[in-house]
Amino acid sequence: MHPWVLIPAFNPNGQLGPLLDQLLKRNLNVLLINDGSHPEATRYLQRLSRRKGIHYLEHARNRGKGATLKTGFQHILKSPVQVGGGVVVADADGQHSPEDIVRVAQEMKKHPESIILSQRAFAGEVPWRSYLGNRITAGIFWAFSGTYLRDTQSGLRGIPRNRLSSLCRLHNNRYDFELRFLLEMFREKWSFRSIPIRTIYLEGNRSSQFRPWIDSLRIYYVFFRYCLHIVTGK
């Protein structure tokens, strides 16, 4: 059995429909969550949700990617639909190919107790803000943890079911959640495996909801708070 595929969506572009078609053709069960999108985008998501194999949830207002992922984790933990042994998290903007999503799912079946982290090579035409942000965050993470992850910001990850409750207790609700996830993985010494995936940026990554200054400050604040906690115990 395949794990769930959880896709948080906020004002998605037209890439989401074709992606869902490909995942459904592979008999994957998709949990699609609308994180308070605008009315037109909400109608688009509701049309997509009618396809067989898609489970659909909505936030009445935008709560952030981290909060949306936790909504999905809680739903999966409570759901009577038992699908596989965990969840594959993927983005809605076309940056993750269906082949790579399936590869993460297959890797989870081989290593059911491990976190599966996808790692992009950043080859070809990569927007400078994406390249620089990943390099800085990877360097800080290496300095702090002693573990080098080439790509700390890839949204494509495989998570065993028994880790979902711990992740639901994290307080971070936006893009900073993904870094806090990695720090929690490091602190708790969770097993993880890395696999390479394609680097896909459509139209210079214009569809990304990531705000370079605000969200970067949130991410680095996570580092600061976490380091302070380690030093002071508070």
Side-chain angles (χ1 to χ4, degrees):
M1 294 177 65
H2 291 299
W4 287 87
V5 177
L6 168 57
I7 301 179
F10 175 62
N11 298 331
N13 59 29
Q15 300 294 324
L16 180 56
L19 173 64
L20 293 176
D21 286 340
Q22 292 300 315
L23 296 179
L24 295 175
K25 285 180 181 178
R26 292 165 168 82
N27 297 317
L28 294 171
N29 281 273
V30 176
L31 175 55
L32 178 63
I33 304 182
N34 175 8
D35 185 27
S37 295
H38 296 156
E40 183 177 350
T42 291
R43 289 191 290 272
Y44 172 59
L45 288 166
Q46 289 172 344
R47 289 196 300 271
L48 294 177
S49 73
R50 301 188 188 107
R51 301 179 184 184
K52 184 178 180 181
I54 294 181
H55 303 254
Y56 180 69
L57 300 174
E58 283 187 0
H59 286 166
R61 59 179 176 82
N62 179 254
R63 293 168 55 186
K65 185 176 183 181
T68 306
L69 292 176
K70 287 185 281 186
T71 293
F73 297 160
Q74 292 163 355
H75 178 82
I76 289 169
L77 288 170
K78 297 175 182 177
S79 174
V81 181
Q82 300 298 315
V83 180
V87 57
V88 176
V89 175
D91 290 343
D93 57 6
Q95 291 194 34
H96 302 140
S97 72
E99 293 79 13
D100 284 331
I101 293 172
V102 170
R103 286 184 61 226
V104 172
Q106 291 172 340
E107 197 71 13
M108 288 188 70
K109 292 174 69 175
K110 296 176 186 175
H111 307 280
E113 296 301 317
S114 294
I115 302 289
I116 308 300
L117 302 178
S118 67
Q119 302 282 280
R120 294 167 292 183
F122 295 102
E125 296 183 5
V126 178
W128 70 267
R129 67 174 185 175
S130 301
Y131 180 83
L132 183 61
N134 266 282
R135 295 283 70 76
I136 293 173
T137 309
I140 295 175
F141 188 82
W142 172 78
F144 174 74
S145 68
T147 299
Y148 180 71
L149 295 176
R150 179 174 57 196
D151 186 1
T152 59
Q153 297 179 15
S154 174
L156 178 56
R157 298 174 179 179
I159 309 169
R161 187 183 180 89
N162 62 1
R163 302 302 185 197
L164 299 181
S165 293
S166 295
L167 294 174
C168 287
R169 291 193 288 270
L170 301 181
H171 297 299
N172 310 84
N173 285 328
R174 296 193 177 273
Y175 283 100
D176 52 344
F177 174 85
E178 293 178 306
L179 178 60
R180 187 65 178 81
F181 174 126
L182 295 179
L183 291 170
E184 185 72 6
M185 182 187 77
F186 167 73
R187 186 177 72 88
E188 295 294 334
K189 297 181 172 59
W190 293 346
S191 171
F192 74 92
R193 301 179 67 86
S194 299
I195 65 170
I197 64 168
R198 294 172 57 197
T199 305
I200 303 174
Y201 286 107
L202 302 172
E203 298 181 334
N205 204 25
R206 286 192 303 173
S207 64
S208 174
Q209 303 296 334
F210 186 84
R211 298 163 298 176
W213 290 109
I214 295 176
D215 290 318
S216 293
L217 287 174
R218 289 181 186 275
I219 287 170
Y220 298 131
Y221 182 64
V222 170
F223 268 123
F224 173 77
R225 285 290 303 272
Y226 197 76
C227 290
L228 185 65
H229 170 73
I230 294 297
V231 172
T232 66
K234 297 181 181 180

